[in-house]
Amino acid sequence: MTNLSRRTAAPGPAAEPAAEGAAHRPWGAAEAAELAADDITVDLISLGKQIRHLRKQRDMSLDDLGAAVGSAASQLSLIENGKKEPKLSMLRALARALGVSSDELLGAEPPNRRVALEIELERAQRSTQYQALGLPNVKPSGRTPTEILEALVGLHREVERQVNLHTATPEEARRANTELRRRMRDKDNYFGDIEAEARTLLGSVDYSGGPLSQHQIADLAAYLRFTLHHVDDLPHSTRSVTDLKHRRIYLTQVGTGSHDPRTVLLQALASHVLQHEVPRTYLEFLGQRVATNYLAAALLIPESSAVAFLRQSMKGKEVAVEDLRDNFAVSYEAAAHRFTNLATHHLGIRTHFQKVHKSGIIFKAYENDDVAFPADPTGAIEGQPICRFWTSRQVFDVPDKFNAFNQYTDTATGTYWCTARTERSADGLFSLSIGVPYESAKWFRGKETKARSVSKCPDPDCCRNPPRALADAWAGQVWPTARAASSQLAAMPLGSFPGVDETEVYQFLERHSKR
């Protein structure tokens, strides 16, 4: 199995019956078919090294082994060098000749440190990255000192680390977000394997309906064999820290911070349940974050209860995100995200979501209803200014902040009905909006709104270019100072977990592990 499949496999039953042996993969495994194929693919490099080691251990030459299995020495040489995959009959013959079982031959760990180094070096030299350099491959012989192999493997590891450090530039982050959004759209933002995982976990705490209580979440942590520890010195760059060695989850003191403590704990548990390992790319990091958020939301707003609630609302044509929020005691943003998970798959409603800063900049967005979000040349939406005539911008100017603001907007791709609210966070004031095509507005409370606007974007004269009269009066007479943060010009934070101070985390764990 490939490293990626090991990193993303989750325990518990999959959507298919367990008897079929279906592997449960969390959200984001777009290459699932390829990974499934890899599960039965022979690791030719490891196999070849294992055969060579066993042959030499028995003082057999290639000719000797060839005579034993009825094959030419040249063919065996290709197998030992990982350049030819042997047939099943040949594998069995080789195993018999070498005095091991076929399973042992295929599944054996490297017999010693030197063979492990040879395997790692061979894999590194076959990588696309190394091949692109046009450098010759080093073929270690029995006379090659082990320290030479150590040095070569160490150099390859450092090159890979340096490459990974420089992949999380702002451009790479935008591309990763674009790819992530494509995968979400392909699935209508509904991931049945994570929903199945959530059902299993809810069953372990006898969930029957309504909001998931903090007591049930604590029971869930105990079911997963974790103890909870609330501290006042949690590293400033973290929301929680999980000590896997002692199976402890450290959280900040209850009642502090801007995040729902239930969500923070569930996200920490989700990373464990989904068997996440240290991400190797920024895309993998984002995928893991979305997967943990999805599982946490599926626990806080369980699928069965939420769908029953939404279908009942549809009967009365009174669907409202704020009702979903209130019924499950979550934030409006959490309810809006969860609505996008369930709306298309269960209700047949295509939709879009936006989180927009008061400045007009998109922080988060999702769509499967063909609404035309602004995008940069990489396809990224995040960081782009939204049209000032859209509901997500208009809501900032509405005096009534208690009720949701609803509006129809005519756009280049059709007319959309949207509902929006504003919420304040540590980063400022944001609007959170859910929108649907005009024909789906009939299912929602607020469909009778008279508010309507017209957006001509991406036409620059819609809202990008200033009105001609103002431009004539002020063009060339002003020099504003941009409020852009310096972080916009820098690479993404480095480290195994972007944005997390690893030294601080390790020091924290060292202190608390002795208590």
Side-chain angles (χ1 to χ4, degrees), residues 268-437:
L269 293 172
S271 292
H272 167 73
V273 169
L274 299 176
Q275 292 188 339
H276 288 160
E277 294 184 8
V278 177
R280 298 177 63 181
T281 66
Y282 194 67
L283 175 60
E284 190 175 331
F285 165 73
L286 291 180
Q288 289 182 359
R289 188 172 67 174
V290 169
T292 55
N293 289 344
Y294 193 113
L295 182 52
L299 291 168
L300 283 173
I301 311 175
E303 182 178 24
S304 58
S305 299
V307 171
F309 180 81
L310 289 170
R311 283 178 174 163
Q312 185 62 35
S313 299
M314 280 189 74
K315 288 182 180 179
K317 297 185 177 180
E318 282 285 307
V319 175
V321 176
E322 53 265 40
D323 288 352
L324 194 63
R325 172 201 63 188
D326 296 341
N327 191 68
F328 291 94
V330 295
S331 69
Y332 187 89
E333 182 173 358
H337 276 299
R338 192 63 176 137
F339 180 81
T340 67
N341 298 150
L342 305 173
T344 306
H345 184 80
H346 287 289
L347 309 178
I349 298 175
R350 309 197 78 78
T351 186
H352 66 266
F353 165 82
Q354 299 174 69
K355 181 177 183 179
V356 175
H357 189 262
K358 189 176 181 180
S359 62
I361 299 301
I362 299 175
F363 268 54
K364 297 179 183 178
Y366 163 78
E367 63 81 23
N368 69 351
D369 60 359
D370 297 324
V371 70
F373 284 130
D376 69 9
T378 70
I381 292 172
E382 293 77 13
Q384 297 300 301
I386 200 69
C387 176
R388 67 180 67 251
F389 298 110
W390 281 29
T391 310
S392 53
R393 291 286 296 275
Q394 296 284 299
V395 67
F396 290 110
D397 298 325
V398 176
D400 181 4
K401 301 301 182 184
F402 185 78
N403 295 300
F405 172 64
N406 308 305
Q407 174 182 284
Y408 290 95
T409 307
D410 299 322
T411 75
T413 56
T415 297
Y416 294 86
W417 175 89
C418 300
T419 183
R421 279 185 171 275
T422 57
E423 284 188 354
R424 187 171 295 279
S425 74
D427 296 319
L429 188 64
F430 289 87
S431 71
L432 301 159
S433 64
I434 286 287
V436 297

Side-chain angles (χ1 to χ4, degrees), residues 49-64:
K49 296 293 184 184
Q50 181 71 5
I51 292 172
R52 177 175 294 169
H53 172 78
L54 292 172
R55 175 175 63 79
K56 290 187 175 181
Q57 196 176 57
R58 288 156 178 74
D59 293 325
M60 298 176 70
S61 67
L62 280 172
D63 289 328
D64 293 336

Side-chain angles (χ1 to χ4, degrees), residues 3 71 153 214 216 221 223 225 260 357 398 430 434 453 464:
N3 287 336
S71 177
V153 168
Q214 283 191 258
Q216 288 174 309
Y223 168 75
R225 298 185 296 109
D260 184 339
H357 189 262
V398 176
F430 289 87
I434 286 287
S453 68
R464 298 289 183 94

Side-chain angles (χ1 to χ4, degrees), residues 37-56:
D38 283 346
D39 288 347
I40 59 172
T41 298
V42 175
D43 185 339
L44 298 182
I45 297 175
S46 294
L47 175 63
K49 296 293 184 184
Q50 181 71 5
I51 292 172
R52 177 175 294 169
H53 172 78
L54 292 172
R55 175 175 63 79
K56 290 187 175 181

Side-chain angles (χ1 to χ4, degrees), residues 138-375:
V138 175
K139 297 181 179 179
S141 68
R143 294 186 296 274
T144 304
T146 300
E147 54 266 28
I148 297 296
L149 295 179
E150 294 274 10
L152 289 172
V153 168
L155 285 171
H156 279 287
R157 288 174 182 169
E158 179 59 20
V159 168
E160 182 180 11
R161 189 183 76 84
Q162 290 291 335
V163 168
N164 287 335
L165 284 180
H166 295 290
T167 57
T169 60
E171 180 180 354
E172 180 64 22
R174 289 194 295 271
R175 292 187 185 279
N177 267 310
T178 301
E179 172 60 17
L180 204 58
R181 194 172 58 255
R182 181 193 66 77
R183 297 180 183 185
M184 294 165 70
R185 194 184 196 281
D186 287 347
K187 293 279 191 178
D188 287 329
N189 208 18
Y190 177 84
F191 297 90
D193 49 358
I194 297 184
E195 299 287 357
E197 194 68 67
R199 286 194 294 273
T200 300
L201 294 173
L202 290 167
S204 72
V205 294
D206 298 323
Y207 170 82
S208 58
L212 190 68
S213 68
Q214 283 191 258
H215 177 72
Q216 288 174 309
I217 295 174
D219 286 347
L220 184 58
Y223 168 75
L224 294 170
R225 298 185 296 109
F226 282 99
T227 58
L228 306 181
H229 302 262
H230 289 90
V231 297
D232 57 9
D233 62 339
L234 198 70
H236 76 283
S237 59
T238 66
R239 296 180 188 173
S240 70
V241 174
T242 301
D243 177 353
L244 297 173
K245 183 188 297 185
H246 302 99
R247 300 192 74 82
R248 299 174 179 175
I249 297 179
Y250 293 97
L251 304 160
T252 190
Q253 295 291 348
V254 177
T256 62
S258 58
H259 301 282
D260 184 339
R262 297 178 304 159
T263 300
V264 174
L265 174 53
L266 288 174
Q267 288 170 343
L269 293 172
S271 292
H272 167 73
V273 169
L274 299 176
Q275 292 188 339
H276 288 160
E277 294 184 8
V278 177
R280 298 177 63 181
T281 66
Y282 194 67
L283 175 60
E284 190 175 331
F285 165 73
L286 291 180
Q288 289 182 359
R289 188 172 67 174
V290 169
T292 55
N293 289 344
Y294 193 113
L295 182 52
L299 291 168
L300 283 173
I301 311 175
E303 182 178 24
S304 58
S305 299
V307 171
F309 180 81
L310 289 170
R311 283 178 174 163
Q312 185 62 35
S313 299
M314 280 189 74
K315 288 182 180 179
K317 297 185 177 180
E318 282 285 307
V319 175
V321 176
E322 53 265 40
D323 288 352
L324 194 63
R325 172 201 63 188
D326 296 341
N327 191 68
F328 291 94
V330 295
S331 69
Y332 187 89
E333 182 173 358
H337 276 299
R338 192 63 176 137
F339 180 81
T340 67
N341 298 150
L342 305 173
T344 306
H345 184 80
H346 287 289
L347 309 178
I349 298 175
R350 309 197 78 78
T351 186
H352 66 266
F353 165 82
Q354 299 174 69
K355 181 177 183 179
V356 175
H357 189 262
K358 189 176 181 180
S359 62
I361 299 301
I362 299 175
F363 268 54
K364 297 179 183 178
Y366 163 78
E367 63 81 23
N368 69 351
D369 60 359
D370 297 324
V371 70
F373 284 130

